[in-house]
Coordinates of all heavy atoms in Angstrom, one line a residue:
Chain A
A86 N 38.7 -73.4 56.5 CA 40.0 -73.4 57.1 C 41.1 -73.7 56.0 O 41.0 -74.7 55.3 CB 40.1 -74.4 58.2
G87 N 42.0 -72.7 55.8 CA 43.0 -72.9 54.8 C 42.6 -72.9 53.4 O 43.4 -73.1 52.5
K88 N 41.3 -72.6 53.1 CA 40.8 -72.6 51.8 C 40.4 -71.3 51.2 O 40.1 -71.1 50.0 CB 39.6 -73.6 51.7 CG 40.0 -75.0 51.6 CD 40.7 -75.3 50.4 CE 41.1 -76.8 50.2 NZ 42.0 -77.0 49.1
A89 N 40.3 -70.2 52.0 CA 39.9 -68.9 51.5 C 40.6 -67.8 52.3 O 40.9 -68.0 53.6 CB 38.4 -68.7 51.6
R90 N 40.9 -66.7 51.7 CA 41.6 -65.6 52.4 C 40.5 -64.6 53.0 O 40.8 -64.0 54.0 CB 42.5 -64.9 51.5 CG 43.7 -65.7 51.0 CD 44.7 -65.0 50.2 NE 45.8 -66.0 50.0 CZ 45.8 -66.9 49.0 NH1 44.8 -66.9 48.1 NH2 46.8 -67.8 48.8
C91 N 39.5 -64.4 52.2 CA 38.4 -63.6 52.8 C 37.0 -64.1 52.3 O 37.0 -64.9 51.3 CB 38.6 -62.2 52.5 SG 38.4 -61.7 50.8
A92 N 36.0 -63.7 52.9 CA 34.6 -64.2 52.5 C 33.6 -63.0 52.6 O 33.7 -62.2 53.5 CB 34.2 -65.3 53.5
I93 N 32.7 -63.1 51.7 CA 31.5 -62.2 51.8 C 30.4 -63.0 52.3 O 30.0 -64.1 51.7 CB 31.2 -61.7 50.4 CG1 32.4 -60.8 49.8 CG2 29.9 -60.8 50.5 CD1 32.2 -60.4 48.4
I94 N 29.8 -62.6 53.4 CA 28.6 -63.4 53.9 C 27.4 -62.6 53.4 O 27.1 -61.5 54.0 CB 28.7 -63.5 55.4 CG1 29.9 -64.3 55.7 CG2 27.4 -64.3 55.9 CD1 30.2 -64.4 57.3
V95 N 26.8 -63.0 52.4 CA 25.6 -62.3 51.9 C 24.4 -62.5 52.8 O 23.6 -61.6 53.0 CB 25.3 -62.9 50.4 CG1 24.1 -62.2 49.8 CG2 26.5 -62.7 49.5
S96 N 24.3 -63.7 53.3 CA 23.1 -64.1 54.1 C 22.7 -63.1 55.1 O 23.5 -62.5 55.8 CB 23.4 -65.4 54.9 OG 24.4 -66.2 54.2
A97 N 21.4 -62.9 55.2 CA 20.8 -62.0 56.3 C 20.4 -62.9 57.4 O 20.3 -64.2 57.3 CB 19.6 -61.2 55.7
G98 N 20.0 -62.3 58.5 CA 19.5 -63.1 59.7 C 20.5 -63.1 60.8 O 20.6 -64.1 61.6
F99 N 21.3 -62.1 60.9 CA 22.3 -62.0 62.0 C 21.9 -60.9 62.9 O 20.7 -60.7 63.3 CB 23.7 -61.8 61.4 CG 24.2 -63.0 60.7 CD1 23.9 -63.2 59.3 CD2 24.9 -64.0 61.4 CE1 24.3 -64.4 58.7 CE2 25.3 -65.1 60.7 CZ 25.1 -65.3 59.4
A100 N 22.8 -60.0 63.3 CA 22.6 -59.0 64.3 C 21.4 -58.1 63.9 O 20.7 -57.6 64.8 CB 23.8 -58.1 64.5
E101 N 21.2 -57.9 62.6 CA 20.1 -57.0 62.1 C 18.7 -57.5 62.5 O 17.8 -56.8 62.5 CB 20.3 -56.7 60.7 CG 19.7 -57.7 59.7 CD 20.5 -59.0 59.5 OE1 21.5 -59.1 60.2 OE2 20.1 -59.8 58.7
T102 N 18.6 -58.8 62.8 CA 17.3 -59.4 63.2 C 17.4 -59.8 64.7 O 16.6 -60.6 65.2 CB 16.9 -60.6 62.3 OG1 18.0 -61.5 62.4 CG2 16.6 -60.2 60.9
G103 N 18.4 -59.3 65.4 CA 18.5 -59.7 66.8 C 19.4 -60.9 67.1 O 19.5 -61.3 68.2
C104 N 19.9 -61.6 66.0 CA 20.7 -62.8 66.3 C 22.1 -62.4 66.5 O 23.0 -62.7 65.7 CB 20.5 -63.8 65.1 SG 18.9 -64.3 64.9
E105 N 22.4 -61.7 67.6 CA 23.7 -61.2 67.9 C 24.7 -62.4 68.1 O 25.8 -62.3 67.6 CB 23.7 -60.4 69.2 CG 22.8 -59.2 69.2 CD 23.5 -58.0 68.5 OE1 24.7 -58.1 68.2 OE2 22.8 -57.0 68.3
S106 N 24.2 -63.4 68.7 CA 25.2 -64.5 69.1 C 25.7 -65.2 67.8 O 26.8 -65.6 67.7 CB 24.6 -65.5 70.1 OG 23.4 -66.0 69.5
L107 N 24.8 -65.4 66.9 CA 25.2 -66.0 65.6 C 26.2 -65.2 64.9 O 27.2 -65.7 64.4 CB 24.0 -66.2 64.7 CG 24.1 -67.1 63.5 CD1 24.4 -68.5 63.9 CD2 22.8 -67.1 62.7
Q108 N 26.0 -63.9 65.0 CA 27.0 -63.0 64.3 C 28.4 -63.1 65.1 O 29.4 -63.1 64.4 CB 26.5 -61.6 64.3 CG 27.4 -60.6 63.6 CD 26.7 -59.3 63.1 OE1 25.6 -59.4 62.6 NE2 27.4 -58.2 63.3

Side-chain angles (χ1 to χ4, degrees):
Chain A
K88 280 296 181 187
R90 294 185 178 86
C91 67
I93 299 173
I94 302 173
V95 178
S96 331
F99 291 87
E101 82 283 3
T102 53
C104 298
E105 298 280 351
S106 58
L107 193 59
Q108 184 160 319

